[in-house]
Amino acid sequence: IWATHESKKSNGVYSTVVYVDERGNASCVKYSYIKDLDDASDWPIYSFKFVGDINEDGTSEIVIQETKEFEVIYDILEYRNGKFVEVLSASTKIK
């Protein structure tokens, strides 16, 4: 599940990626919250991009995009021992 929230009437902005297993148990994979909207450009907005067995090892990985004002980061995470572990990350600056 990927969720974001932004409103000029609220007390802040958040984004999150949540994993829900086959039994319905949920766990937070990535989360960001900023209360002071004047500094919001320094905080990431997360979005879910892809799930699949990228390296063909029998375990699916997920790809998450992290966007800041002038930078985009793509993280590949694998589920190991009950939690997500980052196995690869790449970033690019936006001009």
Side-chain angles (χ1 to χ4, degrees):
I1 299 170
W2 164 55
T4 61
H5 174 265
E6 183 275 327
S7 173
K8 293 180 179 166
K9 296 179 182 178
S10 71
N11 289 330
V13 177
Y14 73 85
S15 72
T16 187
V17 175
V18 176
Y19 168 73
V20 181
D21 69 16
E22 62 278 350
R23 291 185 229 121
N25 300 316
S27 59
C28 183
V29 178
K30 294 272 187 170
Y31 177 79
S32 175
Y33 171 77
I34 180 72
K35 185 172 182 176
D36 183 357
L37 298 181
D38 292 333
D39 293 329
S41 62
D42 297 331
W43 291 82
I45 299 295
Y46 294 112
S47 59
F48 172 80
K49 294 299 176 190
F50 178 79
V51 64
D53 188 4
I54 297 170
N55 59 357
E56 299 180 353
D57 67 349
T59 301
S60 292
E61 290 79 29
I62 60 173
V63 178
I64 294 175
Q65 178 180 321
E66 176 181 328
T67 306
K68 295 181 181 178
E69 185 174 20
F70 297 109
E71 181 179 29
V72 177
I73 301 170
Y74 290 94
D75 295 322
I76 298 176
L77 298 107
E78 184 174 272
Y79 195 69
R80 295 183 191 163
N81 301 321
K83 63 181 179 178
F84 280 94
V85 177
E86 185 178 295
V87 294
L88 184 65
S89 184
S91 66
T92 186
K93 299 288 183 183
I94 302 169
K95 294 181 181 184

